[in-house]
Amino acid sequence: MEEMGYNRKIRDICEFDLKELTAVFEELGEPGYRAKQVYQWLHQKLCRDFSEMSNLPKSLRERLSQEFRITEAHPEEVLVSKLDGTRKYVLRLYDGNVIEAVLMRYHHGNSVCISTQVGCRMGCRFCASTLDGCVRNLSAAEMLAEVYAITRDTGERVSNVVMMGSGEPLDNFEESVRFIRMISDGNGLNISQRNITLSTCGIVPRIRELAELSLQITLALSLHAASQEIREEIMPIAKAYPLSEVLEACSYYYGKTGRRLTFEYSVVKGVNDNREEALHLSRLLKGMHGHVNLIPVNPIKERSFESPDREAVETFRDILEQNGINATIRREMGRDISSACGQLRRRFVEHAGMCTD
Ligand code: SAH
């Protein structure tokens, strides 16, 4: 859906990193320091209107507003948890598509979970984001706009970012990497790369490519099973990349970056929650430098997967711990506004009768 009056030819000024913006300004015949000023307005002060850039000459402000647009992710709906202050956002993009992002408040600071695509094409069986496939990739500027919209809304600094919302970040590789570089830039929000986590379902060549970039981010692998057979049952991508190759790629990532890994394991009742799987997982991860994050599956109405019993999850964790594998059970944030990844967006799209392409 194209929004009225929106002109695709007008470039999004938030797409450029500082080096590129400096080159763009040179082309316009403007000095380099102006590019830096504009960059800081956009990415540090989170200004969304050229006319407010008060240290620029008026003529330049006018020129910029004619030649560029400023990406926004506009909050359409915000659900606020009364239990822990978690805020779930439905954000609208320039073309009418909507995505979701979540703010979680922890003792160590505010963490934002962002989407990297509108929808997803990976097809994991228990995930709501993938039910309608992938509508389109998000640009880095749109990922930044998710964090900026939430920062502006709350007035609070975001210290951590997890790329764990809708979409597969490694299926949108270039823009995801651009996002990581820009959000950790000293002239932007300056969020330490050590406080950024990228979660992937395991696209082997892209994990290796990411390792070569020597970023300091944490890699989280959505493992969800200790055997190839069960993994294939719940994650179609497992057919393309066998478990052994995925784990080798993770070790390679650790070797290149020295960053400890996170293994996510969504626990599904009667599928992957038994003792044998826990033992199998312990053996599989022996010697891997990382820990396991157990996520009791959040059931979605379109599929029959059920949440595991609390006791089963605790036993699962204990078995891992007894076998020398660090494991935690993910604390559920915003239980009272609970909705699984991608469900909020779906509900919004269905109810509002909006089209998504
Ligand atoms: N595509 C990436 C990132 C997005 S999904 C990935 O696969 O990692 C983020 C995490 O949420 C993944 O571990 C995913 O498997 C998990 N997830 C998705 N839907 C879920 C649900 N209904 N219940 C529990 N975890 C879910």
Side-chain angles (χ1 to χ4, degrees):
M1 184 169 78
E2 189 150 332
E3 201 150 86
M4 297 279 285
Y6 168 71
N7 182 348
R8 247 170 231 280
K9 287 196 194 79
I10 292 185
R11 287 184 292 178
D12 174 4
I13 198 165
C14 299
E15 266 302 297
F16 305 115
D17 64 23
L18 181 53
K19 203 167 149 215
E20 291 161 346
L21 193 64
T22 307
V24 168
F25 270 52
E26 262 164 30
E27 269 172 41
L28 295 175
E30 295 288 340
Y33 74 91
R34 290 282 184 220
K36 191 164 174 177
Q37 285 175 324
V38 170
Y39 194 89
Q40 289 175 343
W41 275 111
L42 294 169
H43 299 285
Q44 212 161 52
K45 301 184 190 122
L46 312 187
C47 176
R48 301 288 92 178
D49 189 340
F50 290 112
S51 68
E52 289 169 11
M53 300 184 177
S54 53
N55 57 358
L56 304 185
K58 194 150 177 280
S59 56
L60 178 58
R61 284 184 251 166
E62 273 163 13
R63 183 170 184 200
L64 292 176
S65 63
Q66 277 157 15
E67 298 199 20
F68 299 98
R69 66 187 173 90
I70 302 177
T71 290
E72 265 200 86
H74 181 76
E76 282 290 331
E77 192 180 333
V78 188
L79 301 182
V80 184
S81 166
K82 293 193 177 67
L83 299 175
D84 53 31
T86 295
R87 297 166 76 85
K88 295 189 176 174
Y89 290 81
V90 175
L91 302 169
R92 182 169 46 82
L93 305 173
Y94 72 86
D95 62 354
N97 272 304
V98 290
I99 51 172
E100 50 179 79
V102 183
L103 168 76
M104 291 157 290
R105 295 193 162 98
Y106 294 104
H107 293 303
H108 61 264
N110 285 348
S111 183
V112 168
C113 175
I114 63 154
S115 295
T116 53
Q117 294 176 320
V118 182
C120 182
R121 63 186 184 122
M122 295 297 131
C124 297
R125 303 285 300 155
F126 49 81
C127 180
S129 301
T130 200
L131 290 168
D132 295 325
C134 180
V135 178
R136 70 169 174 87
N137 281 335
L138 296 185
S139 66
E142 288 172 321
M143 297 181 215
L144 291 167
E146 295 178 61
V147 180
Y148 297 174
I150 293 177
T151 305
R152 281 160 58 96
D153 185 53
T154 59
E156 296 169 25
R157 182 175 160 78
V158 170
S159 55
N160 293 65
V161 174
V162 294
M163 302 168 83
M164 285 187 188
S166 297
E168 167 51 49
L170 298 188
D171 189 35
N172 184 12
F173 190 89
E174 298 292 326
E175 294 302 306
S176 292
V177 168
R178 177 179 280 272
F179 163 78
I180 292 164
R181 294 213 158 110
M182 287 174 75
I183 199 126
S184 56
D185 189 314
N187 287 298
L189 285 191
N190 198 18
I191 296 177
S192 162
Q193 288 189 1
R194 291 171 169 268
N195 293 346
I196 300 173
T197 299
L198 182 150
S199 178
T200 177
C201 60
I203 303 178
V204 168
R206 296 285 97 76
I207 293 176
R208 290 181 174 269
E209 207 176 325
L210 189 70
E212 302 299 340
L213 301 178
S214 299
L215 300 171
Q216 279 299 292
I217 60 167
T218 300
L219 181 69
L221 174 73
S222 293
L223 192 55
H224 306 328
S227 66
Q228 176 65 15
E229 199 189 339
I230 297 182
R231 199 159 187 266
E232 275 186 24
E233 246 175 61
I234 51 182
M235 304 175 74
I237 190 75
K239 295 191 184 90
Y241 304 110
L243 195 45
S244 54
E245 287 180 22
V246 177
L247 291 178
E248 269 172 38
C250 288
S251 292
Y252 184 75
Y253 185 87
Y254 174 79
K256 281 277 173 185
T257 63
R259 299 289 296 156
R260 292 179 65 80
L261 305 155
T262 297
F263 299 100
E264 293 163 278
Y265 192 99
S266 293
V267 194
V268 187
K269 189 174 188 167
V271 175
N272 63 0
D273 63 342
N274 57 56
R275 291 172 165 273
E276 289 69 48
E277 279 300 296
L279 281 170
H280 197 164
L281 186 62
S282 312
R283 285 195 293 273
L284 192 70
L285 297 184
K286 190 118 258 160
M288 298 280 302
H289 301 267
H291 72 274
V292 175
N293 204 342
L294 298 168
I295 316 163
V297 84
N298 201 338
I300 57 172
K301 67 176 191 315
E302 294 82 355
R303 299 270 187 268
S304 57
F305 290 121
E306 283 176 57
S307 214
D309 299 327
R310 182 77 200 176
E311 214 182 302
V313 184
E314 283 171 5
T315 306
F316 201 100
R317 177 202 52 204
D318 293 346
I319 294 173
L320 291 175
E321 290 277 343
Q322 282 153 16
N323 287 283
I325 308 292
N326 282 329
T328 46
I329 300 172
R330 179 174 299 171
R331 214 177 104 209
E332 204 188 335
M333 301 296 284
R335 207 162 353 104
D336 53 332
I337 50 166
S338 136
S339 55
C341 184
Q343 271 189 320
L344 194 59
R345 167 178 176 270
R346 278 182 67 76
R347 259 207 316 267
F348 186 86
V349 170
E350 280 166 14
H351 286 179
M354 292 171 75
C355 75
T356 54
D357 49 21

